Short mmCIF file of all heavy atoms in Angstrom, two decimals:
data_model
loop_
_atom_site.label_atom_id
_atom_site.label_comp_id
_atom_site.label_asym_id
_atom_site.label_seq_id
_atom_site.Cartn_x
_atom_site.Cartn_y
_atom_site.Cartn_z
N PHE B 45 129.12 -88.83 -37.84
CA PHE B 45 128.76 -89.26 -36.49
C PHE B 45 127.29 -89.65 -36.42
O PHE B 45 126.41 -88.90 -36.88
CB PHE B 45 129.06 -88.12 -35.52
CG PHE B 45 128.62 -88.35 -34.11
CD1 PHE B 45 129.37 -89.14 -33.26
CD2 PHE B 45 127.46 -87.79 -33.64
CE1 PHE B 45 128.96 -89.36 -31.96
CE2 PHE B 45 127.04 -87.98 -32.34
CZ PHE B 45 127.80 -88.77 -31.50
N SER B 74 126.86 -102.67 -27.77
CA SER B 74 125.93 -101.72 -28.38
C SER B 74 125.37 -102.29 -29.68
O SER B 74 126.01 -103.10 -30.36
CB SER B 74 126.64 -100.39 -28.65
OG SER B 74 125.78 -99.46 -29.28
N LEU B 81 115.23 -99.46 -44.92
CA LEU B 81 116.51 -99.17 -45.60
C LEU B 81 116.33 -98.50 -46.95
O LEU B 81 115.40 -98.83 -47.71
CB LEU B 81 117.30 -100.47 -45.77
CG LEU B 81 117.99 -101.00 -44.50
CD1 LEU B 81 118.43 -102.44 -44.71
CD2 LEU B 81 119.16 -100.12 -44.13
N SER B 95 137.62 -95.65 -23.19
CA SER B 95 137.50 -95.98 -21.77
C SER B 95 136.66 -94.94 -21.02
O SER B 95 136.17 -95.22 -19.93
CB SER B 95 138.88 -96.09 -21.13
OG SER B 95 139.60 -94.87 -21.30
#
Side-chain angles (χ1 to χ4, degrees):
Chain B
F45 174 80
S74 178
L81 284 165
S95 58

